[in-house]
Amino acid sequence: MQFAISSQARFANQDNPQAHYEGTGPEIMRQTAGQITHFVSSMGTTGTSMGCSRYFKEVKPEVEIVGLQPAEGAQIPGIRRWPKEYLPSIFDEARLDRVVDISQEEADETARQLAIQEGIFAGMSSGGAVSASLKIAAEAPGRVVVCIVCDRGDRYLSTGVFDPPPPAHHSCYYKNLDLTLSQHRKALPEDMSSHS
């Protein structure tokens, strides 16, 4: 007998957020030595944000949980701008402290710059999460902002996102967003240097 499980099951399966409650959240807490201040999660199935939020709100309630969605008109693989009537059943709006929109340009160019500047070959949803995280980190010194780089860049080679000659700077550089992480690393607490 063969069984087929619909990918739609991820949007209703309580094991999805539970896995992040039991695994991802505690791992982030360990890796940041408990100093995380903000968690940014792209909103696909919403399992990551829901599970991690539940964990952080139990062990460190001051952690701000940020949901990331595409800006109007953006088509960023892996994340969605959910109409209320189609939200996954595992989603609980009360578990998010705020929702941030990310543009197509920011997501695409940050993915390119992650490869160029940091040697991280990831997709556009990861680019969007990193871009949003850097903006949040820039709002106040000393923040410890965590996001998930959850996809591989090689999956998007055929889309052309990595085809253009690399720009001299991320487009958001001109909006006071410097993608180079070295400046942010310098602002982290000293006892986090071994975790960055």
Side-chain angles (χ1 to χ4, degrees):
M1 180 178 283
Q2 293 183 339
F3 296 92
I5 300 175
S6 167
S7 64
Q8 296 300 315
R10 296 175 298 152
F11 298 86
N13 188 342
Q14 291 299 326
D15 287 341
N16 181 346
Q18 186 68 21
H20 296 287
Y21 172 77
E22 294 179 5
T24 311
E27 180 180 351
I28 290 170
M29 191 62 75
R30 287 192 302 272
Q31 291 291 324
T32 62
Q35 297 188 58
I36 179 174
T37 60
H38 294 72
F39 178 67
V40 178
S41 180
S42 299
M43 292 181 16
T45 67
T46 72
T48 305
S49 57
M50 295 298 99
C52 287
S53 174
R54 180 179 153 212
Y55 173 78
F56 292 131
K57 295 307 182 186
E58 288 179 6
V59 301
K60 191 177 181 183
E62 63 269 31
V63 173
E64 184 171 313
I65 310 299
V66 182
L68 181 72
Q69 66 182 4
E72 287 285 356
Q75 299 289 323
I76 302 170
I79 61 175
R80 300 184 187 185
R81 188 179 187 89
W82 288 102
K84 288 197 173 183
E85 57 271 22
Y86 292 110
L87 279 165
S89 61
I90 60 175
F91 178 75
D92 178 359
E93 187 176 6
R95 292 206 175 276
L96 297 180
D97 295 302
R98 65 168 151 160
V99 175
V100 172
D101 287 4
I102 197 77
S103 72
Q104 187 79 51
E105 180 189 34
E106 288 176 284
D108 291 355
E109 290 199 17
T110 305
R112 285 192 285 269
Q113 292 302 316
L114 278 173
I116 294 165
Q117 295 191 36
E118 302 296 331
I120 298 171
F121 190 31
M124 291 79 87
S125 63
S126 296
V130 170
S131 183
S133 296
L134 288 168
K135 287 180 179 179
I136 291 167
E139 291 172 358
R143 287 182 169 181
V144 178
V145 185
V146 175
C147 68
I148 306 292
V149 174
C150 56
D151 56 357
R152 306 184 324 262
D154 62 297
R155 299 172 61 194
Y156 305 102
L157 287 173
S158 62
T159 68
V161 71
F162 295 106
D163 288 352
H169 293 287
H170 180 276
S171 65
C172 297
Y173 177 85
Y174 301 104
K175 300 172 190 168
N176 299 317
L177 172 63
D178 182 355
L179 184 60
T180 304
L181 300 178
S182 59
Q183 291 300 317
H184 180 62
R185 287 187 182 120
K186 290 177 187 174
L188 293 174
E190 287 183 16
D191 57 349
M192 279 205 58
S193 58
S194 63
H195 297 275
S196 57

